[in-house]
Structures are given as structure tokens and as C-alpha cells.
Amino acid sequence: DTAVSQTPKYLVTQMGNDKSIKCEQNLGHDTMYWYKQDSKKFLKIMFSYNNKELIINETVPNRFSPKSPDKAHLNLHINSLELGDSAVYFCASSHNTGGPFREQYFGPGTRLTVT
Amino acid sequence: AQRVTQPEKLLSVFKGAPVELKCNYSYSGSPELFWYVQYSRQRLQLLLRHISRESIKGFTADLNKGETSFHLKKPFAQEEDSAMYYCALVGSARQLTFGSGTQLTVLP
């Protein structure tokens, strides 16, 4: 199946913990993204990353950090989790080098609950 | 700064009725605009983009630069159209900025 996959689907953890969410795409895309969807369904970009450039949304706390071991993976690490981090996190990927902006393909989402 | 506004959080229409989901944008350059849809328990997926000028699942959207709008329309709504719809814009940073979304419910 060609797709964007995320693990885990659900993550429940306590405040103060450090956790990671993994994302993999087998579409051969060069750019990957992380989005946060809050309880009101508001969807906001957190990061975009390709081989050359990491673009960080300035509103993202530095407790969040993306890590890319290779072009097909972009993992999201979160340190010192807070209650407000509870949300659904979506990974996405696209071809985005030159030319018109290309369609982004989204993963199924990871629902993070911080207690 | 770029911004996308979807004024309706919730929208309900009856099956067979026309539907219009509003989207207004704020951007100083030439925007690229998109509609994404998220059906229940499914991932977010692209519905259509303004440069394609196509109709997908009966939906169309026209970019009106004078009114800075990109409203999504369908003449006859179907129950399977019930979903969350997001309008989105790509600006100079080549990143998608999403509106707050409109939950469409098509009633039988």
C-alpha cells in the first residue's frame, strides 16, 4: 500500500513525559510536514522539512522537534509534555521542489492525550 | 501575513439542496487555493485546487480575486458529502495555511 503511515494511532501519557510519533511515507516525496489539529478541529502547520530546509512555525514551542533519519521518515519528538499538547497530530508529504505547489498526502493521524 | 477565514463552523442542508461553503483569504501576492475534505474516520484529502478549475464529486470552487474568496459549491448535496471541509492557501513560504474548517451535514 502506497501511503503515509503514522505510529502510534493513539498515545496516552502523563504530563512531563517525553514521547515520539513516527511517520513514514513510501510515495517518494521530497517534503514532509507535521500538523496539529486541536479540539476545535483547527489545523495548523508545525513543520515542513525536505533535505535542504526545515521550516518551523514560529508558534511551535521548542519542546517539539522533528527528526528525519532519511527522506521517507519524519518523526516528531515532544519533550516535557503539557496538557495543552493534547491534540491529533497529522503527518503529510508532497513533492514540493519547484513548480506549482503539489498535493499533500496526509497520514491517518495520531491522537495524543496528556493526563 | 496570510490568513484563511471560514465563517461557518457548522452547516446543515437537506439532501438535494444546493450547498455553498464560504472561504475568504488574506494574502498580498497571488495565492494558490485548495479545498481539503475529511470524511468521518478518514484522513484529510485534497478535494480540489483553483488552478485545476475542475469539478470533483460535483463540487466546484471559483477564485474571486476582487472579493478574495474561494467558495465551494455543489448544486445538489448528497448525504455522503457530510464531512469536515477545510479551505487552504499556499503563500510564499510554500506552506499550507488552513481555515478553521466547516462541518457540513447533509440531512436525509
Side-chain angles (χ1 to χ4, degrees), chain B residues 3 18 22 36 94 103:
Chain B
R3 178 179 287 179
K22 291 187 167 46
Y36 275 80
R94 311 300 285 168
Q103 179 67 50

Side-chain angles (χ1 to χ4, degrees), chain A residues 30-31 33 50 52-53 94-103, chain B residues 32 49 51 90-94:
Chain A
D30 52 47
T31 307
Y33 312 82
N50 62 27
K52 301 172 189 172
E53 194 176 19
S94 72
H95 282 300
N96 202 23
T97 46
F101 191 83
R102 305 286 191 91
E103 177 181 354
Chain B
E32 294 180 63
R49 55 196 307 167
I51 60 171
V90 167
S92 55
R94 311 300 285 168

Side-chain angles (χ1 to χ4, degrees), chain A residues 52-78:
Chain A
K52 301 172 189 172
E53 194 176 19
L54 171 65
I55 300 176
I56 304 171
N57 186 312
E58 60 189 14
T59 66
V60 175
N62 57 16
R63 297 181 294 103
F64 290 78
S65 57
K67 298 273 194 306
S68 180
D70 55 58
K71 281 179 70 169
H73 296 83
L74 184 66
N75 303 324
L76 183 64
H77 295 266
I78 316 169

Side-chain angles (χ1 to χ4, degrees), chain A residues 33-50:
Chain A
Y33 312 82
W34 277 105
Y35 290 87
K36 178 180 180 181
Q37 186 182 45
D38 64 23
S39 58
K40 295 181 179 177
K41 300 285 190 178
F42 190 63
L43 194 61
K44 198 166 187 179
I45 181 113
M46 300 176 72
F47 306 100
S48 67
Y49 181 79
N50 62 27

